[in-house]
Amino acid sequence: MFDVLVYLYENYWRPDACPDHEQLSKKLSAVGFESEEIADALTWLDGLASVAESYVANQHDLSVRVYLPNEQDHLGVASISFLSFLESAGVLPPSMREIVVDRAMAFDGAPVPLEDLKIIVLMVFWSLGEEPDALILDELFVDAEDRLIH
């Protein structure tokens, strides 16, 4: 599913630039994605669109997040730490954080691998039509082992 999401991010500037689900499914299938993977990604994106609408309208940027035990188990320490890092850096406001948490909780695997969480964060920015700054894109795309320290 995450490969499909990355493909969409790389090939469509915004969600509204994507064709309807039927056409998009055909295009993704022609590129080589499996039908189950495509269906999972499109379902996940529908959930993202729905959640983004409600959270952006109803959240305050002064909220504090306490993770429930089931969220802690599902997200894992690495993912929660990364979300805290993004928040403290002023990159991920609470309303967007809640969208990320919701979409991560919709993911079947537990704990959510950090690399998958980074894709979720990227897709939340994408769904809202926002481009993260270059340093955050670097953080989302480049593995720590591949970074050059100057």
Side-chain angles (χ1 to χ4, degrees):
M1 175 182 89
F2 288 102
D3 291 335
V4 173
L5 296 176
V6 170
Y7 178 86
L8 292 175
Y9 180 84
E10 290 175 344
N11 290 282
Y12 295 96
W13 179 249
R14 294 174 32 150
D16 56 2
C18 292
D20 64 60
H21 279 0
E22 185 178 328
Q23 241 185 344
L24 185 58
S25 292
K26 289 177 184 176
K27 285 185 177 199
L28 292 170
S29 184
V31 173
F33 292 109
E34 299 292 325
S35 59
E36 184 178 330
E37 190 176 26
I38 294 167
D40 289 347
L42 294 179
T43 299
W44 189 89
L45 283 172
D46 285 343
L48 174 59
S50 174
V51 169
E53 256 180 52
S54 64
Y55 274 112
V56 171
N58 296 320
Q59 290 293 312
H60 303 284
D61 284 342
L62 299 176
S63 66
V64 174
R65 183 64 149 96
V66 177
Y67 292 91
L68 299 172
N70 68 322
E71 292 172 327
Q72 292 174 19
D73 292 342
H74 192 81
L75 294 171
V77 173
S79 292
I80 292 173
S81 297
F82 186 71
L83 290 174
S84 295
F85 160 73
L86 292 176
E87 270 190 278
S88 65
V91 174
L92 191 68
S95 57
M96 288 177 74
R97 176 203 59 220
E98 291 306 309
I99 298 169
V100 171
V101 169
D102 180 85
R103 294 292 75 210
M105 294 299 288
F107 176 67
D108 285 336
V112 175
L114 183 56
E115 294 307 311
D116 292 345
L117 182 82
K118 289 178 178 183
I119 294 169
I120 292 169
V121 170
L122 190 64
M123 294 308 294
V124 169
F125 275 98
W126 180 77
S127 73
L128 297 173
E130 295 187 24
E131 179 84 19
D133 67 31
L135 292 175
I136 296 306
L137 279 175
D138 182 55
E139 194 64 42
L140 294 172
F141 278 120
V142 179
D143 288 334
E145 301 85 39
D146 295 338
R147 272 197 194 96
L148 293 175
I149 307 285
H150 297 281

